[in-house]
Amino acid sequence: MMTNTDSRLTQGQFSFLPDLTDEQITAQIKWALAHGWAVSVEYTDDPHPRNTYWEMYGMPMFDLKDPAGILMEINECRKTFPRHYIRVMAFNSERGTESPAMSFLVNRPANEPGFALDRQETSGRTQRYSIRSYATDKPENERY
Amino acid sequence: MDLENKSGSNGTNERYKSGVIPYKQMGYWEPDYVPKDTDVIAMFRLTPQPGVDADEAAAAVAGESSTATWTVVWTDRLTACDLYRAKAFRVDPVPNTGAGTNTEAQYFAYIAYDLDLFEEGSIANLTASIIGNVFGFKAVKALRLEDMRIPVAYLKTFQGPATGIVVERERLDKFGRPLLGATTKPKLGLSGRNYGRVVYEALKGGLDFVKDDENINSQPFMNWRDRFLYCMEAVNKASAATGEVKGHYLNVTAGTMEQMYERAEFAKELGSVVVMIDLVVGYTAIQSMAVWARKNSMILHLHRAGNSTYSRQKNHGMNFRVICKWMRMAGVDHIHAGTVVGKLEGDPLMIKGFYDVLRETHNPMNLENGLFFEQDWASLNKVMPVASGGIHAGQMHQLIHYLGEDVILQFGGGTIGHPMGIQAGATANRVALEAMIMARNEGKDYLAEGPKILDDAAKTCKPLRAALDTWKDITFNYESTDTPDFVPTPTTSL
């Protein structure tokens, strides 16, 4: 079990708040759409902080204007991957940014075992650190 | 003989007769001059000595910051001297100064410099002209460099920020909210082991970064190597405990460049994502470290140690917005740029100007925010402003209102001084931040409703409740000294 605040993975914009309701998720999607950002849904069972590329649940929704449609995708993804981490991302294509503008979790496994810190001692008291998710000792899709 | 108008030639015998003539007549005053797109333009606040007229003082500043000396020299005629002379082309009285006010007469003097006066990619060379001899010049009683327009042609000779806001966020995997930091306290005296404790607790509690203070280098109580080793232990342990990328700005400031490189290399070897330097290391050292940081995929944090010695007083020195411009060119990724609400100097309108200089791709002229020129940033990366000094969770709505989203909010005392401990302090700040961003995105009037939003968030977060209760009445209401010249009423920090 993770021993940090709330015993949970803290990636994303709102991990320190209670889990978002569908209504709250809709409000955030509205904010993204109001800025003209494309919204996408991504999932993973490897929440390593350096695991950049979560699986895409479809492509970013460039032309959807209705938050309800996006919420539907989120709920489909939750149904398909109920024990995965799922995040909503928004992409800003504006010159000078051209990068994600939002990222927040909308689903997480019931049990979050967290990460081990492996140390390899080297010269001059230096240590090589690597972070390993306990869950990823198992194969993909059998982790949570 | 018209001595003032000799363009296109090397002048006349009359102009170059040995002796002393006014700078205006030496060719440094050209009221009809239209600056070229490739000119560097500097704008100075000028207080002439009694009896010196403003145009002559402006011409003198142009002269002394470009080619002139106090007397006529014939060797000018061996050069294309008309080109190399800086040209004062506009002098405006500063509003609310001079007769009938409490301030002696000041003038805004605009001076244009040809691009060929400057070496490519060198802040040292640029500044040796613009703020070189001229600030001690007797003909001016006081002089302040207020703003500069850097032409795109010159910007393109600079690397710019090693990483920039966009790539920093991608590397850290943190989007859509300000980043959170804290400076380890006490600033001085902790052993390496005790120091790392503060770093671990703050990061595990919810901060993204912890920071060395500006004067932590390698003192008898803590050798730099010890600090780096213990801090990276803390960073990695906190990252494993939270599943988030974490960092600690390891201050590599040292007595020589060789030592700075040695420390930076060690930080890299230990896997740090960021290193830090102080403004007092100097412009050339900053540029060198920016090149090193780009080469090594490292974020470069700059603490503005020393800037207030010359940026705070309104009549003499230089405005901090110029430092912001130079530092964006020099290539830092972070710079402390004011909080509005905290313990350090900062008028809200002026700070908006600084933040715009650091973060926008293009600045329109905006006199209210102290931006005297339009500035195209020529795709130089954006610099992340850092707000630190006397801020706490209870001000979160104001901080987001004034400073926006691309900023690092650093709560040193507001984390470490929390009654329930450092982790709780960090959690309080993170919860306050996330609650406020959520409310903003939901379209709430978060500035007006801020205290209520925080109270609501504190219902499920005891550390936030404790933070709000501890610091509820703490504000720093002092008049700013660096204020706008172009607003009808003075503004004060809230």
Side-chain angles (χ1 to χ4, degrees), chain B residues 195-415:
Chain B
Y195 193 91
R197 165 61 72 185
V198 179
V199 177
Y200 173 61
E201 298 291 324
L203 293 178
K204 186 177 180 186
L207 301 192
D208 304 299
F209 285 125
V210 180
K211 169 180 174 291
D212 285 342
D213 224 329
E214 75 282 7
N215 49 3
I216 273 277
N217 296 159
S218 193
Q219 282 108 321
F221 51 82
M222 179 168 59
N223 180 273
W224 67 272
R225 244 185 98 91
D226 260 339
R227 184 171 83 255
F228 285 23
L229 285 164
Y230 282 113
C231 286
M232 289 315 295
E233 169 73 15
V235 165
N236 284 289
K237 232 176 115 62
S239 197
T242 59
E244 246 190 307
V245 180
K246 302 281 185 182
H248 178 84
Y249 317 153
L250 293 166
N251 191 348
V252 302
T253 299
T256 66
M257 237 13 250
E258 290 72 20
Q259 286 172 299
M260 298 221 302
Y261 282 133
E262 184 191 358
R263 294 176 193 190
E265 287 293 339
F266 191 53
K268 179 182 82 172
E269 195 189 321
L270 295 176
S272 183
V273 296
V274 53
V275 293
M276 153 182 176
I277 49 175
D278 293 336
L279 181 58
V280 290
V281 300
Y283 302 133
T284 298
I286 292 170
Q287 282 194 259
S288 289
M289 286 309 299
V291 169
W292 181 92
R294 170 76 62 91
K295 189 171 152 194
N296 292 285
S297 283
M298 193 73 88
I299 297 163
L300 183 62
H301 179 96
L302 181 84
H303 186 112
R304 57 171 168 171
N307 89 91
S308 288
T309 50
Y310 45 82
S311 71
R312 191 170 184 195
Q313 297 309 318
K314 208 167 165 177
N315 67 340
H316 190 82
M318 59 188 292
N319 194 290
F320 186 67
R321 77 178 64 89
V322 181
I323 294 286
C324 291
K325 289 189 174 180
W326 293 350
M327 289 304 105
R328 188 167 179 178
M329 294 157 74
V332 305
D333 293 312
H334 295 172
I335 184 171
H336 293 250
T339 63
V340 180
V341 296
K343 71 178 178 184
L344 301 176
E345 167 77 25
D347 173 90
L349 295 166
M350 296 289 95
I351 288 190
K352 170 108 175 47
F354 305 157
Y355 275 56
D356 284 351
V357 162
L358 297 169
R359 297 191 300 200
E360 301 296 324
T361 50
H362 172 260
N363 304 133
M365 188 177 87
N366 184 329
L367 295 179
E368 193 179 83
N369 294 338
L371 303 180
F372 288 85
F373 300 107
E374 182 182 359
Q375 177 69 55
D376 180 339
W377 280 102
S379 303
L380 251 61
N381 284 340
K382 304 171 186 174
V383 182
M384 186 81 90
V386 178
S388 74
I391 57 176
H392 56 83
Q395 300 162 325
M396 196 59 80
H397 49 298
Q398 295 170 316
L399 290 166
I400 292 173
H401 170 75
Y402 285 115
L403 310 178
E405 186 174 291
D406 282 330
V407 59
I408 303 175
L409 302 175
Q410 295 208 163
F411 303 88
T415 300

